[in-house]
Amino acid sequence: MAKSNITTLITSVALMISVAACGPSLTISNVDYSQPIESVLSPDADNVVTDQRYAISFSVAPILEEEDVTSADPIRLIRNNNGYYFVTAAGFSNVYVFEVGEGELDLKRIINLTDDSLGQPAFNQRGDHIEVIDLATGDSYRVNEEGRMGG
Amino acid sequence: MTKTFSTLIALILITASYTTVEAQQSDYEIQQEFRAEYHQITEWIDNAVSSEDLDEVSDRIDALEAEYGEHTDIINSAIYPDTYSSRLNDLRSRFSAAQQNVATIEELNERVEELEEELEEFRQQLATMDERAEDLQREIRDSQANERRLSGLVQQYRENLEERDQFVAGFLDDLLRRYETVDSETAAELREAAEQLDESPVDLIKTILGEYVNYANQATDLAAEDYLAMKAQHVYFSEFWDSMGERLTEIFDADAPVQSRQEVDDLLSNWNSAIDNRIWGAINDSFAQNNIDLDNFSSADAFYNALQSYVSSATERSEEQNREEDLEEYRNFSQYWNNTVKANWGETLFTGNILTYEQVSDIDQQLGGWNVAAVPTSNLMLILFIVALAVIIGLVIALVRKGKE
């Protein structure tokens, strides 16, 4: 009896694996999500920014709350080749890295660049990393989704 | 040594900071600046009105190309589906079109300046003539007592009017030559250029006509031939206006061409009325001064009827009376008709629409009939007849007597 049950179980598992193997499964690799030029966006009254060109819209309110500021304008947004979004603004101390979820942006990392706030930040797409520059101070940083590169 | 070292450190720091700043450019700013400069250059091109403006624009396009050539990829990404090359080509093509436009504008400006200068010169010459005419009029009024001087002044006045007529005719001919055959494109360009004129040729035509009306109303001591010359000038002017008025007003008074044409038409009508008020009386006086009393007339047709009536009545009278006085009257009229009316007034009669060639020819034919009727008939034949009859009777009586014997 026990042997029969084990046999039935193994058969069922094998059948399920076979069915799963026969289902739709296709993976495209080496996708480049990089956005060549950063988007410079003004939040509306509800702190929602909308990028018409790259078709994304989200609220920056949670970020403002995290930065402990009431407003920021404009918001700088860029996406790197791995598909992570980088967000910052003048007055922020950090760069926020988000990954795309289903109808949401999930915070991947907060990259602290300076103890003071950024004066006039801008993102440049540099292929394997994102360059963050502060035009007000002349400081420059290299970042990716894992954090600040090169110290 | 310390100073040299400090300078070196400062130089290194400056160079390093420059390099850092140079490296730290925002791609976003670069493409934004490119867009801004591109739009500014297109505005310059659109607003360029002189070659100097375009020279500056050409330099700016070259500078744009030199400045942003290294950022082609960034700009291509930013302005997709446009490209850096297509934008530059667009600028060059706009620039080329603007060069042609500016060339046209400059050519038109030259034409406007030329026209302005010509009009100004014309205005000045006309003003000088008008001033001279006014002086002569005043002198004529002041010299009524001195007949010899008066005659000289009137002669000068006539010459002044004639010179003015020729001058105006030259101006009208010039307008005719310039604008008679302009195509619609040139007309549109001229219309645009004419907006820059302080006073257009149409304005000047109105001024000229206004002066003609004054001349006709105020002139004194003028003879029939002077008014005939005015009439001929009026006809010439009217024909010019009929053929060119619409075109000129469409070009030079594009805002209200109909109203402008009506103003000129009214002035022409006023001028004609002013001439008519004087011309018929002057012609009648001229005939009367030569002992030819025509019926009163106040139009060209009535003048012709008066001539016909005079010749016809005189012919009938000559046929009936056949006196020496009739022959004398014929000779007087014929001489005045041929030597003054036809010889001196000549073409102005026809060009001024006073008499037609047919009407003059008709009067000439009637004069032939009058001539025949006016020559006194000879009595020689009657005398010869009576003598012959007397001789025959004498002979018959002689023969009868001889037979009886």
Side-chain angles (χ1 to χ4, degrees):
Chain A
M1 183 64 186
K3 192 179 176 183
S4 174
N5 285 343
I6 289 168
T7 304
T8 304
L9 183 64
I10 290 170
T11 305
S12 300
V13 169
L15 187 62
M16 283 173 67
I17 290 169
S18 301
V19 168
C22 293
S25 174
L26 184 62
T27 302
I28 299 172
S29 52
N30 295 324
V31 176
D32 185 358
Y33 289 101
S34 62
Q35 184 179 318
I37 307 280
E38 66 174 335
S39 299
V40 179
L41 310 167
S42 284
D44 64 12
D46 298 324
N47 280 325
V48 172
V49 291
T50 302
D51 186 347
Q52 299 286 356
R53 183 168 187 186
Y54 295 104
I56 184 171
S57 178
F58 60 91
S59 170
V60 294
I63 306 174
L64 297 178
E65 194 177 336
E66 182 68 26
E67 280 287 328
D68 198 19
V69 293
T70 54
S71 65
D73 188 8
I75 298 294
R76 329 279 302 199
L77 172 74
I78 197 165
R79 196 175 192 190
N80 75 354
N81 54 359
N82 288 330
Y84 290 92
Y85 282 103
F86 293 72
V87 180
T88 193
F92 284 14
S93 305
N94 309 300
V95 169
Y96 293 82
V97 184
F98 292 95
E99 60 184 330
V100 178
E102 283 189 16
E104 59 190 21
L105 288 172
D106 299 321
L107 183 66
K108 163 83 174 173
R109 191 173 305 282
I110 297 175
I111 305 172
N112 180 252
L113 297 178
T114 172
D115 294 336
D116 301 323
S117 54
L118 294 163
Q120 203 179 331
F123 289 128
N124 288 333
Q125 182 62 255
R126 292 293 178 256
D128 63 339
H129 67 277
I130 298 294
E131 182 182 46
V132 186
I133 56 174
D134 187 346
L135 296 170
T137 61
D139 293 333
S140 164
Y141 315 93
R142 300 195 310 156
V143 298
N144 63 16
E145 66 272 21
E146 298 303 331
R148 190 168 164 182
M149 298 168 70
Chain B
M1 182 68 187
T2 312
K3 194 177 177 185
T4 309
F5 185 71
S6 303
T7 308
L8 188 62
I9 294 291
L11 275 173
I12 290 168
L13 283 173
I14 289 167
T15 309
S17 69
Y18 175 77
T19 309
T20 309
V21 169
E22 186 68 12
Q24 289 164 359
Q25 273 187 297
S26 158
D27 294 348
Y28 177 80
E29 301 297 337
I30 289 169
Q31 58 87 25
Q32 283 291 86
E33 283 166 11
F34 174 81
R35 285 174 199 257
E37 285 203 37
Y38 169 82
H39 287 298
Q40 191 174 39
I41 292 172
T42 56
E43 270 184 33
W44 284 345
I45 291 173
D46 291 344
N47 297 329
V49 290
S50 69
S51 302
E52 289 76 22
D53 294 345
L54 282 180
D55 287 344
E56 199 178 326
V57 171
S58 177
D59 292 343
R60 288 300 309 160
I61 295 174
D62 292 342
L64 184 80
E65 190 170 16
E67 194 176 348
Y68 291 95
E70 61 180 306
H71 302 298
T72 309
D73 291 340
I74 295 169
I75 292 165
N76 284 345
S77 301
I79 63 176
Y80 178 86
D82 270 1
T83 63
Y84 168 79
S85 301
S86 71
R87 286 285 173 97
L88 279 174
N89 288 340
D90 175 56
L91 285 180
R92 302 257 184 235
S93 140
R94 281 168 182 254
F95 177 75
S96 180
Q99 271 185 316
Q100 288 182 347
N101 288 340
V102 163
T104 306
I105 289 170
E106 287 182 339
E107 191 186 327
L108 279 175
N109 283 342
E110 276 177 30
R111 287 171 74 170
V112 167
E113 279 175 25
E114 196 182 313
L115 189 59
E116 284 254 25
E117 282 173 16
E118 285 173 8
L119 288 176
E120 182 55 32
E121 193 183 329
F122 184 86
R123 264 193 298 269
Q124 283 179 359
Q125 288 196 39
L126 207 59
T128 306
M129 287 181 189
D130 290 343
E131 208 174 307
R132 177 69 186 139
E134 279 176 27
D135 289 345
L136 285 168
Q137 275 283 303
R138 193 165 41 251
E139 286 184 55
I140 288 168
R141 279 195 298 274
D142 296 344
S143 305
Q144 293 295 333
N146 187 335
E147 200 168 312
R148 197 170 161 187
R149 176 168 164 69
L150 185 65
S151 169
L153 288 170
V154 169
Q155 182 59 32
Q156 279 184 45
Y157 185 65
R158 282 179 181 153
E159 285 169 3
N160 181 277
L161 288 185
E162 196 177 332
E163 192 185 347
R164 192 179 188 280
D165 281 350
Q166 285 173 359
F167 187 64
V168 169
F171 169 70
L172 297 183
D173 281 347
D174 189 47
L175 285 181
L176 200 66
R177 197 178 60 250
R178 282 177 197 222
Y179 302 112
E180 192 177 23
T181 55
V182 292
D183 55 33
S184 57
E185 190 183 346
T186 311
E189 290 168 358
L190 281 167
R191 205 163 18 247
E192 199 175 320
E195 289 171 8
Q196 300 169 40
L197 287 172
D198 295 331
E199 190 179 17
S200 74
V202 176
D203 295 328
L204 195 51
I205 283 172
K206 290 174 191 170
T207 306
I208 292 169
L209 285 173
E211 284 301 317
Y212 269 132
V213 174
N214 289 339
Y215 269 77
N217 279 329
Q218 294 169 8
T220 54
D221 295 299
L222 292 183
E225 62 185 288
D226 301 318
Y227 290 110
L228 284 167
M230 279 189 197
K231 196 78 175 172
Q233 182 77 347
H234 178 271
V235 169
Y236 174 76
F237 216 119
S238 299
E239 284 173 355
F240 163 81
W241 187 248
D242 285 346
S243 67
M244 289 296 294
E246 187 168 350
R247 186 177 293 265
L248 287 176
T249 50
E250 293 292 342
I251 292 174
F252 293 107
D253 262 334
D255 292 340
V258 175
Q259 185 187 339
S260 189
R261 277 200 294 280
Q262 187 58 52
E263 286 172 16
V264 174
D265 288 344
D266 291 345
L267 282 165
L268 280 168
S269 176
N270 292 344
W271 183 18
N272 193 41
S273 300
I275 297 170
D276 278 352
N277 286 340
R278 303 288 184 99
I279 191 169
W280 310 117
I283 292 175
N284 211 340
D285 288 348
S286 183
F287 274 89
Q289 282 163 13
N290 288 279
N291 300 317
I292 301 166
D293 293 323
L294 299 177
D295 294 340
N296 283 334
F297 53 89
S298 58
S299 70
D301 286 342
F303 173 48
Y304 173 64
N305 289 338
L307 285 171
Q308 266 199 324
S309 169
Y310 183 85
V311 173
S312 169
S313 301
T315 305
E316 278 180 29
R317 213 165 35 249
S318 296
E319 282 170 348
E320 286 170 7
Q321 301 177 0
N322 197 235
R323 297 170 306 171
E324 192 62 32
E325 292 89 334
D326 296 327
L327 181 61
E328 191 55 39
E329 187 184 0
Y330 162 77
R331 283 180 180 149
N332 180 52
F333 183 88
S334 176
Q335 190 178 11
Y336 188 69
W337 174 254
N338 287 310
N339 298 345
T340 300
V341 177
K342 285 168 63 179
N344 291 347
W345 299 357
E347 281 299 306
T348 53
L349 282 172
F350 304 125
T351 53
N353 294 337
I354 305 296
L355 290 176
T356 63
Y357 286 102
E358 289 75 21
Q359 286 172 330
V360 170
S361 173
D362 190 36
I363 298 292
D364 281 339
Q365 279 184 359
Q366 289 186 45
L367 267 181
W370 185 10
N371 184 16
V372 172
V375 174
T377 310
S378 172
N379 293 326
L380 183 62
M381 290 304 292
L382 182 63
I383 292 165
L384 286 175
F385 177 73
I386 292 169
V387 169
L389 190 63
V391 169
I392 290 167
I393 292 169
L395 283 173
V396 169
I397 292 169
L399 285 172
V400 169
R401 280 183 181 173
K402 200 173 181 180
K404 283 181 181 176
E405 286 172 3

